[in-house]
Amino acid sequence: MIQLFNWFRRGALERGLDREIQYHLDRRVADLTAAGIPEPEARRRVAVELGLAQVREEVRDVWLTRWLRDFIYDLRFSARSFLRSPGFTATTLLSLALGIGATTAIYSLVDQVILHALPVHDPARLVLVDWKGDQVVGGFGSWNLMSYPMCRDLQQQTRFFDGVLCRAMTQVNLASGGDPKPVAVEIVSGNYFAVLGVGAALGRIIEEPDDAAPGAGPVVVLSNDFWQSEFGGAADIVGRKLLINQHPMTVVGVAAAGFHGVDVGAVPALWIPASMYAEVYPGSTDVQDILHRPTTWMQILARLRPDQTPARAQAALQPWFKTWLRENMLRPGFPAITADRRRRYLASSLQLTSAPQGHSTLRRSLAQPLWVLLAATSVLLGLACLNVAGLFLARGSARGREIGTRLALGASRGRIGRQLLADSVLFALAGGILGVAVAPLAIRALIAFLPPGEANALRGNLSIHLLAFAFLASLAAGLLSGLAPALHAGGGSLASSLRERGGTGSGGVRLRKLIVTLQVAFSLVLVIGAALFVRTLTGLLAKGPGFETSGILSFAVAPVQTGYSVTDAARLIRRLDEEVRALPIARSSAAARWAFLTGGSWNNEMTIQTDRRIVTGNVHLNAVTPGFFTTLGIRILDGRDFGARDSRPAGKTGFRSAIVNEAFVKRYLAGRNPIGLRIGQGSGPDVKPGTEIIGVCASFNYRGLRDDSEQAFFPMFEGADAGATFYIKVLGAPDQAISSVRRIVRQADPRLPILWFRTLDDQVSRSLTNERLLATLSASFGALALLLSLIGLYGVMSFVVTRRTREIGIRLALGATGASAIRLVLRDAAAMIAGGIAIALPCVAALGKLIRSQLFGVTATDPAIVAAAAAVLAAGALAAAFIPAWRASNVSPTNALRLE
Amino acid sequence: MPSPRFPIPQGTLDMLILQILSLEPAHGYGIAQRLEQISRSVVQVNQGSLYPALHRLEQKRWLRAEWKQSETGREAKFYSLTPAGRRQLAVEKDSWARLSGAVNLIFGTAGEEGSR
């Protein structure tokens, strides 16, 4: 370490040494002259005595150690020689910078979404508590759902946990003076901040008493970012009242900066204690007394005691969990179930998984595409390395004589190899710096692919983490690309390299051909991947969701979040529906309780009453208004659409009629006439199937374009609608309807925010975010890869032609035609291309398994795609090889022979 | 001009420098002269190897160096022993004593055998 430090102050060290030695010389000369020796003789004798140059060198070795000095001199030598050939330097740097920049950008997302630990105290001890088996009790939310009482009971298990928290993400209407607007909130148990070890930047955090009983804590804690963006960082924020879904709550504090909850990809604006669930989820029938009922709606994270491991705690908790399962059945709200179901329920177990990165729905959807992309960029980087290696080899052969001379003068092969390695390391580091410079741009471009809600959790900044990654990637790239040339310089016979004529060294043609073959293989893998993802995207787009999307505008409202009761909300939605329908610009319009293609759904098991009871798996449900199917162009295959008579008469409960989709009939009622059969929600013995099937509609996608599910629809307007999504078929461009819709909503209630305006085309494209990300990026990586390998091929073929100029010239002189010369060169290229394809195909087959879940309507080894990609690659490669081949055919025999 | 003095054994130069500097701080030329005097011109020190040794010892933090006025009035680089250097000197003296003791013993025994 000292040695490195010495490098930077070597000027001062040198000057000191000069003075020191000068002093010695002068004193010695003075002593000698005093003893009677004439001064010139004295000086000569002293110089011999001391060996000036030798002393200086030896002292320098002490300062820097030998290898470090050599290495630094190598680097300087490399830098100087690179500056002399700017074209070579620019090409190489650019390909390395692209490779490193792309890899760093993708890694940044991988790090943020998948690897990065939460900014909380000792995140390594956090575990996610999950249920394995049949939970029986339904709920609402995303994944890993558990009940609030479960969290409370786990908190008693202090043998294993230092704390157990639960939390859920949702959206509320927030008003702080102006118009209410939707914001994301995290609803949390009272110990949430304490367990995570996150403090307050201002005021206090949410504490246990806030969550002691339902309604106990009408308080909120703001996130630091939201405090800054929304309140300008006002110092007097603590104590202010905010309206959350029209309920006043007090700001008690601001959370520590940099803390964004435990869900990467969902950034809460504020935190609310779970005790306020009724205000946060107004009017929903699912939400009744959920602090005591077994309803599942929260994720549970626990902090393990330091002496515990997830596996040990998980095993030790099972007996407790078995007892708990039985107790849970006694809670109010636990449904009646069949004996078979009960057996499955009791066989459930508890699972603890280490969760230093928290719980994330974004990670769930994005993890696989990101790994795929990281793998693709790594291949791309490998390709860039190969390119650089090829270029170095070419350069090495041009320097063959220089190297041969140095070897002859006594330089060791190791020393020469190290020089070449220094070249490539210097290069890779410079490329890395360039790559890091472009990486933030690339990261932002990547984030722009994601829908805004998810994207705002991600940052385009460089972190130490990222810089370290880029440095390691560059170093690896440097070593990788320098290894082949260095080894090559180390081998080979000295005599032959000196005997060769200038500029025509053997240049490791075999090695370079191998490199090009590998490049062809790498780029074919990437090109096939790109083709697969593009096919998936276009396939999904061409297939569509099964309903009409063009010319349809959708918007959503949630009146209960603005203080409406469900009855009033239903009345308002009905009024909006009628007014929107009456708009001149609307050809037709309809409303649904849940939005389509958002990834979420309302679902439940169903019981069908035929001659026996059939219990289904999860069926996706929705409530829609009459005319819904016509508006979206979904065919009614059998029976009829909903009409006015399907609305429930006053005083009765339960849906009167239902429409099921084709998939439902196919799976559960094959061969039967579904019309007139009765179904009911739920699977228990107490379910009374009272809803009549009145129609069958064509199957279409509910949650996303890949989803093929059984569905059932009920009529809307039965007095219990918390919110609705409207679908308007517009005459002309959908955007034109926005202002009229706004006016209608404002007239109905000026305080009611519209949650979103979206054309259905837009909704479709949003639901294809991952597919688009994969298709676009893999296509650009594929194109880059193709370009890199074509450059490589072109380079090596040009080199081969130059080397064989004499041979070709002789052949031509002896009567060979130009065409045969072209064939000669192309045969060489074709061998490399064929070799590359032969290497790539098994790799594609193996990698295909890993990306199967990302594909749609196509398999990784789809013969048409593989053949097309191989054909594109082969055509491009032959074209690249044709240029040097053409040159070869134009060799003039006389010139070629004179070249000697 | 072949010297009648024998060259200094490998590795003992460091010890001699430490020993000289344990008496008082000195500059390079001073140390060279002192080496000559102390060894009574029996041991030949290659002056060229003195400076690398000094710098090596300084880097090991056994010596500390500072520029001071010398006896002639010019600035010279004076070396002095650090506490670590003092400890090192003790260690080297001890191991030297043991080594030479051992060698003497071997030579002594061998000599007796030879005389028998």
Side-chain angles (χ1 to χ4, degrees), chain A residues 322-341:
Chain A
K322 293 284 173 232
T323 328
W324 184 90
L325 282 172
R326 292 185 179 279
E327 287 169 9
N328 196 42
M329 290 179 71
L330 306 177
R331 282 182 215 276
F334 195 92
I337 49 174
T338 58
D340 183 44
R341 188 88 193 269

Side-chain angles (χ1 to χ4, degrees), chain A residues 183-204:
Chain A
V183 297
V185 299
E186 199 172 1
I187 178 162
V188 299
S189 56
N191 61 352
Y192 176 85
F193 287 97
V195 172
L196 292 177
V198 172
L202 204 67
R204 67 170 175 90

Side-chain angles (χ1 to χ4, degrees), chain A residues 17-265:
Chain A
L17 181 64
D18 281 346
R19 274 176 77 192
E20 192 177 11
I21 289 177
Q22 194 59 49
Y23 179 82
H24 183 110
L25 287 178
D26 292 351
R27 283 289 302 273
R28 184 75 177 141
V29 169
D31 283 359
L32 287 176
T33 43
I37 297 168
E39 198 185 316
E41 170 61 16
R43 281 201 180 283
R44 198 194 59 77
R45 205 193 287 180
V46 172
V48 170
E49 213 171 64
L50 207 53
L52 281 177
Q54 183 72 23
V55 168
R56 285 218 174 82
E57 274 302 297
E58 279 181 27
V59 173
R60 282 182 199 131
D61 278 349
V62 171
W63 290 338
L64 289 173
T65 71
R66 173 51 70 101
W67 67 266
L68 187 69
R69 265 178 74 202
D70 283 352
F71 186 68
I72 287 169
Y73 290 143
D74 283 351
L75 281 184
R76 281 215 305 218
F77 180 79
S78 306
R80 273 200 301 270
S81 68
F82 286 142
L83 289 181
R84 275 201 300 272
S85 46
F88 167 85
T89 308
T91 332
T92 328
L93 273 187
L94 201 67
S95 53
L96 276 176
L98 279 175
I100 292 170
T103 317
T104 307
I106 300 284
Y107 179 77
S108 157
L109 289 196
V110 169
D111 182 45
Q112 290 185 63
V113 175
I114 302 172
L115 303 176
H116 200 63
L118 294 173
V120 301
H121 171 70
D122 198 3
R125 275 162 58 207
L126 291 180
V127 289
L128 180 75
V129 182
D130 202 7
W131 188 302
K132 195 177 169 200
D134 189 347
Q135 271 185 305
V136 174
V137 190
F140 53 92
S142 55
W143 308 97
N144 313 116
L145 296 175
M146 304 290 256
S147 71
Y148 184 83
M150 160 80 120
C151 173
R152 283 296 190 188
D153 294 342
L154 276 171
Q155 284 171 3
Q156 310 303 317
Q157 301 302 309
T158 48
R159 238 170 2 117
F160 309 107
F161 304 122
D162 277 347
V164 182
L165 67 88
C166 52
R167 48 78 68 188
M169 262 334 266
T170 188
Q171 206 178 49
V172 298
N173 271 334
L174 170 81
S176 55
D179 278 342
K181 60 174 187 179
V183 297
V185 299
E186 199 172 1
I187 178 162
V188 299
S189 56
N191 61 352
Y192 176 85
F193 287 97
V195 172
L196 292 177
V198 172
L202 204 67
R204 67 170 175 90
I205 47 165
I206 290 173
E207 289 160 1
E208 276 294 1
D210 298 321
D211 191 28
V219 297
V220 304
V221 168
L222 300 183
S223 87
N224 216 298
D225 291 354
F226 191 69
W227 173 50
Q228 294 293 347
S229 64
E230 206 64 15
F231 301 98
D236 60 343
I237 189 73
V238 174
R240 265 201 226 177
K241 288 253 190 301
L242 304 178
L243 288 179
I244 305 286
N245 293 345
Q246 295 298 316
H247 294 279
M249 296 195 192
T250 313
V251 177
V252 291
V254 175
F259 178 67
H260 302 109
V262 295
D263 185 345
V264 176

